[in-house]
């Protein structure tokens, strides 16, 4: 049965790279940890009988030839980079399941019409440079050059980090795939939500992927003594930030479908007895419907400006990224549905609140995703977990989905 013991052992082995003392995984893009992870996965790809290479964006790719080497490629994969202190399934499951699928085909002597490529995209999460999906955007030819100047917490730019990883940012355009060269992209991923668990199903078929915006708020006030400054005379950016973050929660709740999060906040200078001079935080706002999301954003921005004026602090809002929601293709959804039926799983369709590389590939090829049940719906946390059986079930569905897409003329 595809996706059993070997997949699980590889997941556990890969999950040791970047492990933190508390058990979480931090494997940021273009770091030594990500390099070690790619080297390990490259060894699995060679064991699987794939030809292995990295493109100009650092995407790791393992290729299985089809009967027609000129035919468009069926792409399957995910990412190996993680969030800070994340889990071992988000990303690696999709890459290792892709390897398992083609290794099983090779072991069974199955050759498909279309070549199949297993890909580990670089920097899907955007944890280090606050942008994300670098590898898949490069493959789609849509990576904005300005991002090369985005800096991490140590002030290292993406361009320098890529050079330190042995890549030449000037060659990035070479990673772009010409239109028509990719037949479809399929990604197996943990759901990272509770729907499959509440429905009692191990796998699901994704209908669409929510769109997100990341907006950096910078609020500047006046640093003063915490003890000697009367409340009425303060220009306190932290108090303003607290009020704005409460507005974000209030406005996101209002639609019932939108989600708004502030997960990252910096205070300068950060002393206990100093009214801060400056506070920075980033808003992550999402909805499957772009109009609804953008309407919520407009209200948040208007109310934030009003708060800043009332508090006599200076507010700037910078759009870091704007990702549209995308729908999964009927062709891939149908192939996944047939795969579920073949395996005896009742097909179940659900949207993805989390963003994935497929969003970036949608402009160049049909995309689709298969979800595996997440325990308690938890992800982006050390307690992220999916069972061995559910990972095997998802891999089996991926196997039959990819086989159909790669087989069909
Ligand atoms: O943020 C996301 O939705 C994904 O984990 N990159
Ligand atoms: Mn993630
Ligand atoms: Mn992911």
């Amino acid at each position: 049965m595809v996706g059993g013991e070997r997949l699980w052992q590889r997941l556990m082995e890969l999950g040791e790279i970047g492990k933190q003392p508390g058990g979480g995984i931090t494997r940021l893009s273009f770091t030594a940890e990500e390099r070690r992870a790619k080297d390990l996965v490259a060894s699995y790809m060679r064991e699987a009988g794939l030809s292995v290479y990295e493109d100009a964006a650092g995407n790791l790719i393992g290729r299985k030839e089809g009967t027609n080497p000129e035919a468009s490629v069926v792409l399957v994969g995910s990412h190996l980079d993680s969030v800070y202190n994340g889990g071992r399934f988000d990303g690696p499951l999709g890459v290792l399941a892709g390897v398992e699928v083609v290794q099983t085909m090779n072991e069974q002597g199955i050759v498909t019409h279309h070549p199949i490529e297993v890909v580990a995209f670089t920097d899907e999460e955007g944890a280090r440079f606050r942008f994300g999906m670098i590898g898949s955007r490069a493959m789609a030819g849509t990576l904005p050059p300005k991002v090369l100047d985005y800096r991490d917490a140590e002030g290292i730019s993406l361009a320098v980090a890529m050079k330190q990883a042995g890549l030449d940012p000037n060659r990035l355009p070479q990673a772009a795939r010409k239109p028509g060269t990719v037949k479809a992209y399929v990604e197996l991923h943990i759901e990272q939500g509770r729907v499959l668990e509440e429905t009692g199903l191990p796998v699901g078929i994704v209908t669409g992927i929510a769109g997100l915006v990341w907006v950096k708020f910078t609020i500047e006030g006046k640093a003063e003594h915490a003890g000697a400054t009367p409340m009425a005379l303060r220009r306190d950016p932290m108090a303003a930030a607290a009020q704005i973050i409460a507005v974000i929660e209030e406005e996101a709740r209002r639609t019932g479908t939108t989600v708004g999060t502030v997960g990252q906040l910096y205070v300068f200078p950060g002393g206990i007895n100093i009214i801060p001079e400056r506070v920075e935080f980033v808003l992550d706002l999402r909805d499957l419907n772009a109009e609804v999301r953008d309407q919520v954003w407009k209200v948040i921005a208007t109310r934030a400006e009003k708060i800043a004026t009332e508090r006599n602090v200076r507010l700037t809002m910078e759009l870091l990224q704007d990702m549209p929601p995308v729908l999964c293709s009927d062709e891939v959804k149908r192939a996944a549905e047939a795969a579920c039926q073949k395996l005896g799983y009742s097909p179940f369709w659900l949207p993805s609140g989390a963003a994935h590389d497929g969003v970036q590939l949608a402009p160049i090829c049909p995309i689709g995703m298969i979800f595996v049940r997440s325990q308690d719906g938890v992800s982006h946390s050390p307690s992220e977990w999916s069972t061995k059986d559910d990972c095997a079930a998802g891999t089996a569905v991926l196997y039959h989905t990819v086989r159909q897409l790669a087989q069909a003329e």
Side-chain angles (χ1 to χ4, degrees):
M1 153 95 158
V2 64
E5 192 55 36
R6 179 168 60 196
L7 170 76
W8 190 254
Q9 289 313 318
R10 288 173 171 172
L11 262 173
M12 295 304 116
E13 185 177 14
L14 181 54
E16 293 305 308
I17 300 176
K19 204 162 176 189
Q20 302 301 301
I25 293 168
T26 299
R27 200 164 46 220
L28 302 185
S29 52
F30 307 108
T31 61
E33 290 80 12
E34 192 199 38
R35 181 68 264 162
R36 280 179 45 218
K38 292 205 291 195
D39 291 344
L40 180 61
V41 172
S43 72
Y44 296 153
M45 288 177 166
R46 281 189 286 274
E47 274 173 39
L50 304 182
S51 54
V52 182
Y53 68 100
E54 288 191 21
D55 69 11
N59 296 318
L60 172 67
I61 296 159
R63 180 178 167 94
K64 169 181 166 55
E65 290 305 336
T67 52
N68 175 355
E70 301 310 310
S72 54
V73 163
V74 171
L75 208 51
V76 55
S78 189
H79 58 95
L80 297 175
D81 67 300
S82 75
V83 292
Y84 292 101
N85 204 39
R88 66 176 67 214
F89 296 86
D90 174 0
L93 174 62
V95 176
L96 296 178
V99 175
E100 185 60 29
V101 161
V102 289
Q103 184 160 2
T104 304
M105 285 186 189
N106 282 341
E107 288 164 348
Q108 293 168 342
I110 291 166
V111 182
T112 53
H113 172 77
H114 294 269
I116 300 169
E117 289 189 357
V118 183
V119 58
F121 285 115
T122 43
D123 197 347
E124 186 276 339
E125 293 289 3
R128 185 175 173 190
F129 298 99
R130 299 198 293 189
F131 190 67
M133 300 188 190
I134 302 289
S136 47
R137 292 179 208 256
M139 188 174 277
T142 57
L143 185 67
K146 69 169 183 172
V147 177
L148 289 169
D149 292 330
Y150 278 30
R151 292 173 189 279
D152 68 6
E154 275 73 52
I156 298 170
S157 71
L158 172 59
V160 167
M162 290 186 76
K163 286 177 194 153
Q164 288 171 344
L167 296 162
D168 173 1
N170 297 317
R171 290 184 52 241
L172 270 167
Q174 294 171 22
R177 298 289 174 105
K178 293 184 182 48
T181 58
V182 182
K183 179 170 191 281
Y185 171 67
V186 200
E187 179 169 354
L188 180 72
H189 203 284
I190 50 172
E191 178 200 341
Q192 302 177 297
R194 293 164 175 74
V195 173
L196 289 176
E197 186 169 65
E198 282 168 7
T199 323
L201 293 170
V203 295
I205 302 165
V206 177
T207 52
I209 304 171
L212 63 83
V213 287
W214 283 358
V215 182
K216 179 180 166 189
F217 285 64
T218 304
I219 309 175
E220 293 163 292
K222 189 177 176 195
E224 292 195 87
H225 196 293
T229 312
M231 294 306 284
L233 300 182
R234 295 175 177 215
R235 295 177 51 220
D236 182 349
M238 180 62 103
Q243 214 176 341
I244 292 170
I245 293 168
V247 162
I248 287 168
E249 187 189 39
E250 185 188 327
E251 292 305 333
R253 275 181 188 277
R254 210 184 289 279
T255 69
T257 55
T258 311
V259 285
T261 313
V262 174
Q264 189 178 77
L265 180 139
Y266 295 115
V267 189
F268 177 81
I272 294 173
N273 56 359
I274 311 169
I275 301 168
E277 179 182 315
R278 185 178 73 254
V279 171
E280 280 179 19
F281 62 82
V282 180
L283 164 63
D284 175 318
L285 189 69
R286 310 187 189 204
D287 198 295
L288 259 177
N289 179 319
E291 286 71 49
V292 169
R293 182 199 67 190
D294 293 346
Q295 185 47 37
V296 171
W297 162 239
K298 275 198 197 88
V299 173
I300 289 170
T302 307
R303 291 187 64 184
E305 275 156 357
K306 188 164 175 292
I307 289 166
T309 308
E310 286 162 0
R311 289 177 169 273
N312 190 16
V313 293
R314 185 165 172 272
L315 168 65
T316 51
M317 293 178 274
E318 178 196 352
L319 183 66
L320 295 182
Q321 69 160 318
D322 178 351
M323 218 182 279
V326 296
L327 294 177
C328 294
S329 90
D330 290 339
E331 182 189 8
V332 179
K333 284 191 295 184
R334 272 197 303 274
E337 181 184 1
C340 286
Q341 282 159 341
K342 191 181 183 80
L343 292 160
Y345 298 120
S346 37
F348 178 83
W349 292 265
L350 72 166
S352 173
H356 301 281
D357 285 306
V359 170
Q360 305 307 330
L361 293 182
I364 66 165
C365 69
I367 67 142
M369 292 190 74
I370 298 153
F371 270 171
V372 164
R373 177 168 38 192
S374 288
Q375 204 155 281
D376 303 331
V378 170
S379 180
H380 285 188
S381 151
S383 44
E384 175 183 287
W385 191 261
S386 289
T387 66
K388 182 173 165 184
D389 287 349
D390 286 357
C391 291
T395 306
V397 172
L398 182 69
Y399 170 87
H400 289 291
T401 303
V402 170
R403 223 181 123 171
Q404 284 177 71
L405 292 167
Q407 192 61 42
E409 281 301 314

